[in-house]
Amino acid sequence: MTEITRVPILPIRKGSLTKLWVGVAAVALAGAGLAWASVPHGVEIVELVAGKGESPKADDVIFARYVGKLPNGTVFDEGKDVQLPIQGVFPAGQPLPLAQMVPGFREGALKMKKGGKYRLEIPAEKAYGATPPPGAPIPPNTDLTFEIELVDFMSQADFESRLGMFQQMMQQAQGGQPAPQPAR
């Protein structure tokens, strides 16, 4: 009886099995590299001018001059110096409570130092993601760039204390009249 389905198997050359496994490993590493490259890596902070001293804490209020831009260069927000009539109560810059900022902005600010200037690249998922604030010129899923000068920072409690002191000074300047309260 003759076997028709029989296929002769040639012997494997010496070293061919090693080459096969090296090839499989190379393909696996290349796939892992592509997967790693496609994953967002978080906030990127570039120091433009070095600051000095400590960095703010997560619950501090920072005072900053900043410009926020979309990827195409369009400015969507710009912080202005707060124009307070009494010197020494608040530093220059826009007060920004870090506890209320988007996660990427807060993450970057925690690495800054007083007097420094920085560029902050925030990926969309650490900015506003798919739901930007209503009426904002920020499209959904947009990366944001900020140029920030960290003028100063203080604790939330110190900020609130100074704000209360400022309000009292304003009441006294208006002839002792208490500030109008909203109608109920």
Side-chain angles (χ1 to χ4, degrees):
M1 182 180 330
T2 311
E3 293 182 37
I4 300 176
T5 58
R6 186 178 214 192
V7 177
I9 299 176
L10 298 175
I12 297 176
R13 288 189 179 145
K14 187 174 185 178
S16 294
L17 192 54
T18 303
K19 289 178 185 175
L20 175 66
W21 282 111
V22 168
V24 168
V27 168
L29 286 173
L34 287 173
W36 182 82
S38 68
V39 174
H41 297 291
V43 176
E44 181 182 341
I45 184 167
V46 177
E47 185 178 66
L48 305 173
V49 175
K52 296 181 181 175
E54 295 183 22
S55 297
K57 295 174 183 60
D59 58 346
D60 283 349
V61 175
I62 66 169
F63 290 81
R65 294 181 178 113
Y66 67 92
V67 176
K69 296 180 183 180
L70 302 175
N72 66 5
T74 302
V75 173
F76 68 87
D77 192 13
E78 191 168 1
K80 307 284 186 203
D81 283 353
V82 175
Q83 300 298 320
L84 297 175
I86 301 171
Q87 296 291 354
V89 177
F90 291 112
Q94 176 82 36
L96 302 167
L98 290 181
Q100 298 173 15
M101 303 307 295
V102 295
F105 192 97
R106 182 174 41 254
E107 183 180 324
L110 294 175
K111 297 175 185 173
M112 297 177 185
K113 297 193 181 295
K114 182 177 171 180
K117 293 183 181 182
Y118 305 88
R119 185 175 59 248
L120 195 60
E121 304 282 340
I122 304 174
E125 59 275 1
K126 289 199 173 192
Y128 295 103
T131 55
I138 303 169
N141 301 311
T142 300
D143 298 341
L144 303 177
T145 300
F146 286 90
E147 292 177 10
I148 303 169
E149 175 188 359
L150 180 59
V151 177
D152 205 348
F153 59 91
M154 63 182 65
S155 71
Q156 181 73 32
D158 190 16
F159 177 78
E160 290 173 7
S161 172
R162 290 178 186 215
L163 187 59
M165 181 176 64
F166 174 72
Q167 289 171 339
Q168 286 179 346
M169 294 166 112
M170 292 303 293
Q171 286 176 358
Q172 290 173 354
Q174 295 174 355
Q177 298 295 326
Q181 298 296 320
R184 293 182 191 201

